[in-house]
Amino acid sequence: MNHAKTNKDQSGKAGESFLSTKDIPPRERLIFALDVSSIDEAKALVEQLDDSVMFYKLGLQLFMAGGYFEFIEWLRERGKIVFVDLKFFDVPQTVKSAVMQLKNRGVYFVTVHGNDKILEAAVEHKNGLKILAVTVLTSLDESDLKDLGFQCNVEELVYSRAKRALKIGCDGVISSGLEAPRLRRDIGEQFLIVAPGIRPVKNVDDQKRTVDVKKAFLNGADYIVVGRPIREAKDPHKAAEDIQKMIGSLFIR
Ligand code: C5P
């Protein structure tokens, strides 16, 4: 399937654009990675961000703070959408049980890592949750993959993992915006692509496979995950609003 539209000088390769046509409210396309170490800090940040962020990703750091599920409820009471990013990776039975624990928690996305059996176990008991398969962490580049024993390039590994995950019944994948065009070109437009590793400005941290907001969407992302560029900004609310403005200009309704 080829869903590419010509769009000179805006997309990944050869002037292609894979802008999402899914019915997602534009302001929900920005997912903020709430990577802080206490629930109090998290609540203060959510209050500060107010309507500039509708969708929150809660990762390992916040999980280890304690009070994770009460905090999910707190967010839900405020109309926020919740992404549980704990990257479940264990024997299939354990992953299945972990996914089942999220039943009726009002969670939208959960991430799972691993081989076919692990993904199958997660999908089997998803109960309305959307399962996102982690492909290759955006902090890893080709030489890191070599160190881990993979003899293929990043794009091939992302593609083969995504293809398998979707066949198994996952709702989408986590992929850097760099590999998204290949996924759209060769797998299609139905499944979800959630792209972390977004750097609105020059990158100075551990993320290696980064793109900016506009490029991530033109390359086919349905959602972007942004953490530090908002959290570490002088004015996080303004940083998030600036990203929302960019998203709004791409997805005019
Ligand atoms: O701060 P930054 O914008 O790099 O945040 C990226 C977030 O996305 C982090 O919470 C990280 O755990 C997450 N993530 C990632 N790469 C993946 C999956 C999740 O960077 N493949």
Side-chain angles (χ1 to χ4, degrees):
M1 261 189 279
N2 187 350
H3 302 280
K5 296 176 203 105
T6 302
N7 193 335
K8 259 195 199 156
D9 81 55
Q10 288 184 315
S11 73
K13 263 190 228 167
E16 289 169 311
S17 167
F18 297 93
L19 198 65
S20 168
T21 55
K22 296 186 186 77
D23 189 21
I24 301 167
R27 292 183 79 79
E28 294 177 11
R29 290 181 182 270
L30 168 65
I31 303 175
F32 175 57
L34 196 46
D35 295 325
V36 293
S37 50
S38 76
I39 299 294
D40 285 348
E41 218 182 315
K43 286 183 177 172
L45 200 43
V46 172
E47 272 159 4
Q48 183 185 7
L49 290 169
D50 197 20
D51 283 348
S52 67
V53 175
M54 302 307 297
F55 208 148
Y56 285 90
K57 183 176 87 68
L58 314 186
L60 285 171
Q61 190 180 358
L62 205 57
F63 184 74
M64 298 308 287
Y68 191 83
F69 286 113
E70 292 77 7
F71 181 61
I72 290 176
E73 256 173 58
W74 186 89
L75 283 173
R76 297 291 298 137
E77 282 161 11
R78 282 154 186 78
K80 305 299 183 187
I81 312 167
V82 176
F83 173 178
V84 167
D85 183 26
L86 297 176
K87 297 184 180 66
F88 293 150
F89 176 60
D90 210 311
V91 297
Q93 177 60 45
T94 304
V95 168
K96 182 167 96 181
S97 312
V99 169
M100 285 169 76
Q101 295 281 55
L102 291 174
K103 193 178 173 183
N104 301 329
R105 294 280 189 185
V107 171
Y108 196 76
F109 284 146
V110 62
T111 38
V112 180
H113 209 358
N115 69 356
D116 289 9
K117 289 273 177 276
I118 296 172
L119 297 179
E120 278 163 18
V123 165
E124 199 187 330
H125 287 275
K126 62 182 193 167
N127 285 310
L129 262 171
K130 289 194 191 302
I131 308 281
L132 300 177
V134 175
T135 54
V136 177
L137 296 178
T138 42
S139 58
L140 303 180
D141 64 13
E142 207 102 358
S143 73
D144 298 317
L145 285 184
K146 276 214 180 75
D147 290 346
L148 290 169
F150 290 98
Q151 294 305 327
C152 55
N153 68 36
V154 174
E155 190 178 284
E156 279 312 311
L157 191 57
V158 170
Y159 171 70
S160 83
R161 286 187 169 172
K163 211 169 149 202
R164 287 202 343 255
L166 299 167
K167 204 167 153 211
I168 285 166
C170 291
D171 298 275
V173 296
I174 307 286
S175 154
S176 107
L178 287 175
E179 287 85 35
R182 166 79 193 275
L183 302 182
R184 289 293 181 222
R185 211 177 287 126
D186 294 341
I187 308 179
E189 63 180 348
Q190 295 302 320
F191 67 102
L192 296 169
I193 296 180
V194 178
I198 305 296
R199 289 295 172 267
V201 287
K202 198 172 179 297
N203 188 34
V204 289
D205 50 46
D206 62 359
Q207 295 283 21
K208 293 178 180 168
R209 302 193 336 277
T210 64
V211 292
D212 66 22
V213 173
K214 184 170 174 181
K215 187 130 183 165
F217 285 115
L218 292 173
N219 280 2
D222 295 296
Y223 296 88
I224 56 167
V225 174
V226 183
R228 284 165 284 185
I230 292 177
R231 207 176 62 245
E232 292 174 1
K234 230 198 293 171
D235 181 346
H237 184 276
K238 183 180 180 303
E241 242 347 297
D242 287 347
I243 295 174
Q244 292 290 15
K245 271 191 206 125
M246 167 59 76
I247 297 175
S249 73
L250 290 169
F251 296 96
I252 300 159
R253 288 174 140 284

